[in-house]
Amino acid sequence: MAKELDRRIAAKIIKSFLYCASKLIIARGGKVVSFDGDRVMGVFHGDSKSSSAAKCALQIKWAVDKIREKFEANYESVRNASFQIRHGVGVDTGTVLAVRGGVWGTNDLIWIGRAPNLAAKMSDLREHPYSSFITAAVFNMLNDESKYGGTEKKLMWERRTWSFLGDNLHVYRSNWSWKP
């Protein structure tokens, strides 16, 4: 995006995404804990944390679809680009250690554990039209509302095997979106 579009347009797109994703994380009961370029990291706590995070992922998909439509309608360069505005969301659950890293006056929190690492790696998966990825641990904790959708109550998640650091992990992907 930064290579092909005017940097001001690319910045508007990224800012729109970060704003919407952050608002949705907060609306679903999560906390925004860090930004890294065009990424935002949210943390969810409580009994329904997995369902809240999965629902948030599907709502972010809805928001990105709207962002794409808006920018394609208003900018010829976006409409004619060699790519489409897309995103990825990864969700895992587990114990995480947050520590300060860096030097005095120039430091930040770093997140140590499988969950933030795996979630970040899953957000890089590009399997269009699938943009939401959750681990089996998250899927097994979902309530029915976050698992089944539509009038027929169809399963919104498809099981896949993903090879990560020499392990074959069961993950679930979805191409569903959820209007906030």
Side-chain angles (χ1 to χ4, degrees):
M1 183 168 35
K3 181 179 176 184
E4 193 169 326
L5 297 178
D6 179 280
R7 65 180 183 223
R8 292 166 294 194
I9 296 171
K12 287 179 183 182
I13 293 168
I14 292 168
K15 283 175 54 176
S16 296
F17 169 74
L18 293 174
Y19 176 83
C20 291
S22 297
K23 292 290 271 185
L24 289 167
I25 289 166
I26 294 165
R28 295 273 56 83
K31 277 191 115 96
V32 173
V33 295
S34 69
F35 294 94
D36 183 17
D38 61 355
R39 283 187 196 199
V40 57
M41 180 174 159
V43 174
F44 293 81
H45 297 280
D47 293 337
S48 61
K49 64 186 174 196
S50 292
S51 295
S52 295
K55 184 175 181 179
C56 185
L58 300 179
Q59 289 179 333
I60 290 171
K61 162 100 167 69
W62 182 89
V64 169
D65 289 345
K66 297 303 173 197
I67 290 168
R68 181 189 319 87
E69 291 169 11
K70 178 181 177 183
F71 278 92
E72 286 178 353
N74 290 313
Y75 294 97
E76 185 178 343
S77 60
V78 175
R79 200 170 36 256
N80 296 329
S82 65
F83 63 89
Q84 274 197 325
I85 297 169
R86 294 195 180 126
H87 76 296
V89 175
V91 181
D92 193 16
T93 186
T95 303
V96 176
L97 177 63
V99 298
R100 280 229 170 258
V103 297
W104 179 256
T106 308
N107 58 57
D108 202 353
L109 288 177
I110 55 174
W111 302 86
I112 301 169
R114 178 189 125 140
N117 186 27
L118 204 52
K121 299 296 187 225
M122 286 190 301
S123 74
D124 283 336
L125 294 176
R126 297 295 180 249
E127 297 180 9
H128 181 72
Y130 300 93
S131 59
S132 303
F133 294 84
I134 62 176
T135 61
V138 172
F139 179 82
N140 292 334
M141 294 171 48
L142 293 182
N143 61 29
D144 283 352
E145 181 187 43
S146 298
K147 204 181 268 192
Y148 303 100
T151 54
E152 307 93 30
K153 298 295 180 193
K154 290 179 64 175
L155 183 62
M156 294 187 286
W157 302 93
E158 176 184 299
R159 184 177 169 181
R160 310 291 286 168
T161 301
W162 179 48
S163 181
F164 178 69
L165 296 177
D167 291 330
N168 286 325
L169 303 174
H170 293 293
V171 298
Y172 291 78
R173 66 184 189 176
S174 181
N175 63 353
W176 285 65
S177 65
W178 193 320
K179 184 178 179 178

